[in-house]
């Protein structure tokens, strides 16, 4: 049996005015696609998109761009199952400024497990301000909260009530 990795891989390549597509269809019907924009920001493509396994390595390529989109993505804005960047959205969204995902982190973070520096919203969350089922922080609104000022079924600190009511008013305009 011959080693398929020793054979030259031939991609379908399509140049557009925005960028370059590389595509490969595996014999089992699995599709590999990659798009890199011609425009670059800080030395990386403005947009890098990947899908499927690379036929040369059999592995997935990390989408690395100002905007990276793929199963694994990295960039200023990263979108993928595993994403990391300034703004990260994915099952695991590890962002410096904003993270959104089942597991997320960032200055502002929303997720099932949310590790926020300033704001954490989720089932389990941490941060300076926290809204969660189980929350740890300074100002905590949670079913079970641990922190300096907590508003929960078992503990109601006046500072937390005043803080969250004013916060809700600022966001919605509804006064309690």
């Amino acid at each position: 049996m011959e080693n398929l990795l020793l054979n030259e891989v031939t991609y379908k390549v399509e140049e557009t005015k925005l960028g370059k597509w590389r595509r490969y269809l595996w014999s089992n019907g699995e599709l590999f696609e990659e798009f890199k924009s011609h425009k670059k920001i800080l030395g990386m493509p403005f947009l890098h998109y990947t899908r499927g396994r690379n036929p040369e390595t059999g592995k997935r390529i990390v989408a690395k761009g100002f905007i990276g989109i793929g199963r694994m993505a990295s960039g200023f804005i990263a979108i993928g199952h595993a994403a990391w960047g300034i703004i990260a959205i994915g099952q695991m969204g590890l962002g410096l400024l904003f993270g959104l995902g089942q597991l997320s982190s960032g200055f502002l973070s929303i997720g099932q497990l949310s590790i926020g520096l300033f704001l954490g919203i989720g089932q389990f969350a941490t941060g300076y301000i926290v809204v969660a089922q189980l929350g740890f922080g300074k100002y905590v609104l949670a079913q079970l909260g641990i922190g300096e000022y907590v508003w929960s079924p078992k503990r109601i600190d006046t500072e937390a009530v005043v803080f969250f009511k004013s916060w809700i008013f600022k966001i919605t305009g509804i006064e309690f």
Side-chain angles (χ1 to χ4, degrees), residues 1-175:
M1 178 182 245
E2 77 180 279
N3 184 344
L4 296 177
L5 292 176
L6 296 176
N7 294 335
E8 187 176 329
V9 175
T10 307
Y11 295 97
K12 178 182 178 189
V13 177
E14 183 183 345
E15 287 279 347
T16 70
K17 67 178 186 174
L18 298 176
K20 180 179 179 178
W21 282 96
R22 276 190 332 157
R23 292 184 173 100
Y24 181 84
L25 185 61
W26 292 72
S27 59
N28 66 1
E30 184 180 344
L31 179 64
F32 168 76
E33 292 183 298
E34 179 179 40
F35 175 81
K36 284 186 181 179
S37 63
H38 295 306
K39 183 174 177 133
K40 293 187 182 259
I41 294 179
L42 303 172
M44 59 183 150
F46 174 72
L47 175 65
H48 187 199
Y49 165 81
T50 64
R51 174 184 175 198
R53 293 179 301 118
N54 181 310
E56 294 171 58
T57 63
K59 297 180 180 179
R60 300 198 181 274
I61 293 176
V62 176
K64 297 177 187 173
F66 185 80
I67 300 172
I69 302 171
R71 177 149 313 172
M72 295 178 295
S74 164
F76 184 85
I77 299 172
I79 302 168
H81 289 208
W84 54 96
I86 305 299
I87 297 170
I89 301 169
Q91 280 183 305
M92 183 177 74
L94 305 177
L96 288 175
L97 180 60
F98 178 72
L100 175 66
Q102 284 182 313
L103 167 62
S104 64
S105 69
F107 186 74
L108 307 172
S109 178
I110 300 172
Q112 211 166 0
L113 171 58
S114 175
I115 302 165
L117 184 60
F118 180 70
L119 174 66
I121 299 173
Q123 252 181 327
F124 174 83
T126 65
Y128 182 78
I129 302 167
V130 176
V131 179
Q133 244 178 329
L134 173 60
F136 299 92
K138 180 155 184 166
Y139 291 96
V140 181
L141 176 61
Q143 282 183 330
L144 177 59
I146 298 169
E148 197 169 333
Y149 306 112
V150 176
W151 188 1
S152 73
K154 294 188 178 190
R155 179 177 160 195
I156 301 174
D157 294 330
T158 305
E159 295 88 343
V161 173
V162 169
F163 176 82
F164 283 107
K165 282 186 175 183
S166 70
W167 195 53
I168 291 168
F169 176 72
K170 286 177 189 172
I171 293 171
T172 64
I174 299 170
E175 192 169 348

